[in-house]
């Protein structure tokens, strides 16, 4: 299962506020990701958020098409609420008010995967 990580440039010193924003996150309605025609294009398996100094990172474990995952996230009320609440704490504004803006921002914020290893990738012993 692949992982994606996106960054947020934030103002330092707001750890408590940012922790509260993500601590009150409303899960997506469905982990099933559909494409524009309504066909299943992937699944969001897990997310995690990390924070240090002026960098916040959201990690997403998913299956399928990453752009479809980003589009799915852009339409979720909980994700939209988090993006709205983050605005005062961003050192660089993010255009996430529309699906297109969210997807473009997602792509610009995406970290390059250097390595990914999971016990699921190792064959079971014989």
């Amino acid at each position: 299962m692949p992982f994606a990580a996106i960054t947020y440039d934030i103002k330092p010193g707001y750890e408590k506020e940012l922790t509260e924003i993500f601590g009150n996150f409303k899960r997506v309605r469905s982990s099933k990701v559909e494409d524009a025609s309504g066909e299943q294009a992937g699944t969001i398996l897990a997310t995690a958020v990390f924070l240090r100094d002026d960098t916040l990172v959201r990690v997403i474990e998913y299956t399928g098409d990453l752009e479809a995952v980003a589009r799915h996230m852009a339409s979720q009320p909980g994700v939209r609420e988090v993006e709205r609440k983050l605005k005062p704490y961003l050192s660089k504004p993010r255009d996430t008010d529309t699906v297109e803006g969210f997807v473009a921002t997602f792509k610009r914020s995406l970290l390059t995967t250097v390595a990914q290893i999971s016990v699921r990738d190792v064959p079971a012993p014989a």
Side-chain angles (χ1 to χ4, degrees):
M1 311 300 166
F3 292 87
I6 58 173
T7 61
Y8 298 76
D9 297 311
I10 58 165
K11 299 172 187 172
Y14 293 101
E15 292 81 2
K16 180 181 175 201
E17 292 85 349
L18 294 165
T19 299
E20 187 174 304
I21 289 170
F22 282 97
N24 293 323
F25 177 73
K26 294 180 181 110
R27 289 186 46 97
V28 295
R29 285 181 250 163
S30 172
S31 60
K32 179 181 170 185
V33 174
E34 296 178 349
D35 63 17
S37 64
E39 296 295 316
Q40 183 153 353
T43 308
I44 296 175
L45 301 172
T47 61
V49 179
F50 302 89
L51 172 64
R52 186 180 71 205
D53 301 328
D54 62 351
T55 302
L56 186 135
V57 178
R58 181 187 296 210
V59 177
I60 305 150
E61 183 181 19
Y62 69 97
T63 65
D65 178 61
L66 185 56
E67 184 163 339
V69 168
R71 288 192 171 284
H72 176 76
M73 290 175 62
S75 67
Q76 298 303 303
V79 173
R80 297 186 67 77
E81 182 179 346
V82 163
E83 290 289 332
R84 182 183 56 76
K85 288 181 175 180
L86 286 176
K87 285 185 182 209
Y89 306 106
L90 298 173
S91 61
K92 294 181 185 172
R94 296 166 59 90
D95 174 21
T96 58
D97 293 336
T98 64
V99 171
E100 294 74 21
F102 183 97
V103 172
T105 299
F106 186 98
K107 288 178 180 178
R108 275 193 310 277
S109 304
L110 194 60
L111 295 173
T112 301
T113 301
V114 176
Q116 183 174 297
I117 302 168
S118 170
V119 295
R120 293 174 288 205
D121 299 332
V122 179

